[in-house]
Amino acid sequence: MRLARLCAMNDRVPLFKRAYEGVKAKVTRGLFRPGERVDAKSLAADHFTSLTPIRASLHQMVGEGLLEAHLNDGFHVPLITEPRLRDLQQWNLVQLDAALATALRGRYAGGAPSPPRARIKRSEDLVEDTERLFLAIAGVADNSYAMWTVRLFNDHLRAVRLLEPQLMDDLDQELDAAIDLFTQGDLAALSRAIHAYHDRRRQHVTALIALLLRPRDEEKDVAPAA
């Protein structure tokens, strides 16, 4: 009965949306290596659908910068370099900092504190919870473009964030502290915490790139570094 209900719910989701979300999950979670070709026929078979929604999804991801279209060679995951990753991290920080600064200058000008906010409930998915916090931060600017931009950065940085526990420890505590500041409405302290978050990751750019590029047959657990 539960399976039947799930299938019925799935049938109500538009075909393109199902294909897009499924394919994007594979791309953004690092199931394809940087530079790897993404085969539309294989994806269509995996998702039990025709090539039409798959190709439409791949073209949309090209527009979002998540894939590249190569002449006569289909779709590929963009290559990642240290400068590119540093740019992504820096602009993610810029967007979050701008949202917090906008809130501090505008709605809460004159020294009035930001009102307390509903606490972001933690799940077992560290990366998903981080993305939810960053979207909530973007939301304090009350600007739809800020939300759209941070959501796009979440997509671009997801595969990297999934690798961070192999290089850094205390990530759950780091996120809990930031969520506490957001919940308390201490946006100035939250801004400092977000800067510290990005400073920490800049120190690991070289190692993160190495993890992203390693061959699949070399994948193994790496002890977290202090």
Side-chain angles (χ1 to χ4, degrees), residues 83-97 153 157 195 198-199 202:
R84 178 182 172 88
L85 180 52
R86 292 184 190 278
D87 284 347
L88 283 169
Q89 292 175 336
Q90 178 62 26
W91 278 101
N92 187 66
L93 170 60
V94 167
Q95 295 300 319
L96 296 174
D97 211 30
F153 277 117
L157 288 165
H195 275 264
H198 287 82
D199 287 342
R202 275 193 286 268

Side-chain angles (χ1 to χ4, degrees), residues 162-218:
L162 286 166
L163 296 172
E164 290 175 355
Q166 298 186 35
L167 300 171
M168 292 175 273
D169 59 6
D170 300 327
L171 296 180
D172 281 298
Q173 294 90 326
E174 176 187 54
L175 179 58
D176 284 336
I179 289 175
D180 286 342
L181 293 173
F182 178 80
T183 304
Q184 296 160 11
D186 192 344
L187 302 188
L190 179 58
S191 177
R192 293 191 293 271
I194 294 301
H195 275 264
Y197 169 98
H198 287 82
D199 287 342
R200 187 181 184 193
R201 279 145 185 83
R202 275 193 286 268
Q203 299 173 21
H204 294 281
V205 164
T206 300
L208 287 167
I209 293 292
L211 289 176
L212 281 171
L213 296 177
R214 65 182 172 175
R216 284 192 176 87
D217 57 6
E218 293 182 9

